[in-house]
Amino acid sequence: MAILAIIGLLIVLLVALIVFFVIYQQKQHSKYFHARNVTFLDIGLSYTIKFFMGKLTLIDIEKIQYEKATETGKKFVGISELTSPSYYITDLELMKHIYVKDSDHFVDRRSITTSTSDILFKKMLISLEGEQWKGMRSKLSPTFTTGKIRKMFDIFDKSSQNMCNYVRKRVGSDGGEFDICEAYSKYAMDVIASCAFGIDSKSFDCEPGVSSEFEEMGKKIQLKVTLSLALKLLVVQVAPKLANMMGLQAIDTGPQDYFKKVITGVMKRRRDTGERHNDFLQLMMDAQQGLLKSEENSKETMEVMTGSKEDNTGNSKQVFSPNDEADGESPTKFTFDDDDIVANAVLFLMAGYDTTQSLLIFAAYMLALDQDAQERLLEEVKSTFDANGGSLTYDGVIGMTYLDCVLNETLRYYPPALRNERLCTKDYKIPGTDTIIEKGLIVGLPIYGMQRDKQYYENPEKFDPERFLPERKAERNPFTFAPFGHGPRNCIGMRFALTEVKAVIATLIYNFKLEPGTKTEIPVKMSNTSTLKPQNGMWLKISPRS
């Protein structure tokens, strides 16, 4: 009993210490912004407590923050990021500067201090900074061009058909209610296993409701927003030496070891036998050997590398400076080892699984609720299948305009990530003001709040795919839509993700009718996760089409 009492006391003291630390930091950050004549947005400790108690979701907090920020009428406000003051941007022109025009000041993402033993996390593209990031981005960019994705389309098509066969087994010939999350989880894992790891996930070989070993490990490696993770990261940030002594890692050791063994085994076999495949792993191995060097300066590779598009980045500053080579720091001279390949294959899983599944889940949900949109999409899908002899092709998928509209509207309504963040890498004077964003501070760029803002989208709470028809899309500022970010630090896998999603949505709608069922939550309840997900699954009535 005495031991339990001591443990209880220690827990109380720890909680009290954390609360004191948060309150102290907020007061310090308030003083910081007051001294610079910047409005400080005090969200308050109560919201954080309610989040961890399950009374508020990340969406709730993001909505509150965006509404409070826009109510000030300011282009930017100051907020507290626990260990550091941070800026929150609400002005589209300033967003354009940060994303694109002045992106040389914001080339890095949030820096997360990790344990020295956390090798994979340190080598992931998302974790790299400065020249290391430039080098890795330039090496990986040729692997995400449309030509390379086209060669992987057979993988998407095969996995899509396997998923539909799985759904058919689950709902029967007469149809029934089914949690589509289960099937989409298997699809996302299957595509990633085939493309990034060069293996069969065996996701669809399992009995209904059972996960394969690859699936289980893939789920374990996902970062989930929990109190224990928050405390772990707090220790890592505030006391990195203590974190090293404790062996704290951003990613659990078990899944890391499993995936490293899988990938190194596949790479060894391919090197020993000369075996080659049309997948992302093969492309990384080719990039390692310099076999993609001739493609590194192609127009499309440069578009992937810089995130440039003529509609919103015409006067962007060049982050990948042409003077880099003269300075002896050309990104094209960057080389990476097997650990880099393993790390970025694992990143493919971490970044691609949750976000892809999220988009698929909510696209199915919205189509089930909007039968008119589903019927219009079905017409386009059937026309595409019929034009290709009852099969799906890469060109057929890319050519479906209304499918693009449905996915973009889903991304607007339910973006997988709620906010983009950039790290200021050198002091930046905000245009038209005397305010300087100091090096080392985070800049938050809203996604969810902005994409639900009535000043940018008429009737924003309505699901309306037609708002993304080319002529209507051209009328809006492109920075009002940012699920993948913009500029050089946007999502490098955007084209890959959209193509795999289009393939499976088209195949699903071609084979099944989606409707709300008795278990369908309307409105859907959201889980407390970093990626937007339904709390209780996504149950829909699914009926095979004749």
Side-chain angles (χ1 to χ4, degrees), residues 146-194:
T146 54
K148 299 296 189 298
I149 295 170
R150 178 191 293 270
K151 292 180 180 179
M152 296 185 218
F153 187 78
D154 285 346
I155 295 174
F156 305 157
D157 187 37
K158 180 181 177 181
S159 292
S160 297
Q161 294 178 38
N162 286 340
M163 193 203 79
C164 285
N165 290 336
Y166 183 84
V167 172
R168 190 171 285 107
K169 289 178 183 178
R170 297 289 270 141
V171 301
S173 58
D174 295 330
E177 294 198 37
F178 176 63
D179 181 3
I180 197 70
C181 293
E182 180 187 327
Y184 278 151
S185 173
K186 289 181 175 295
Y187 173 78
M189 286 291 184
D190 199 53
V191 169
I192 292 169
S194 298

Side-chain angles (χ1 to χ4, degrees), residues 378 381-382 385-386 390-391 505-512 545:
L378 176 62
V381 167
K382 285 181 67 176
F385 270 87
D386 292 345
S391 62
I505 286 290
T507 305
L508 183 74
I509 294 300
Y510 184 71
N511 285 278
F512 300 96
R545 298 186 188 275

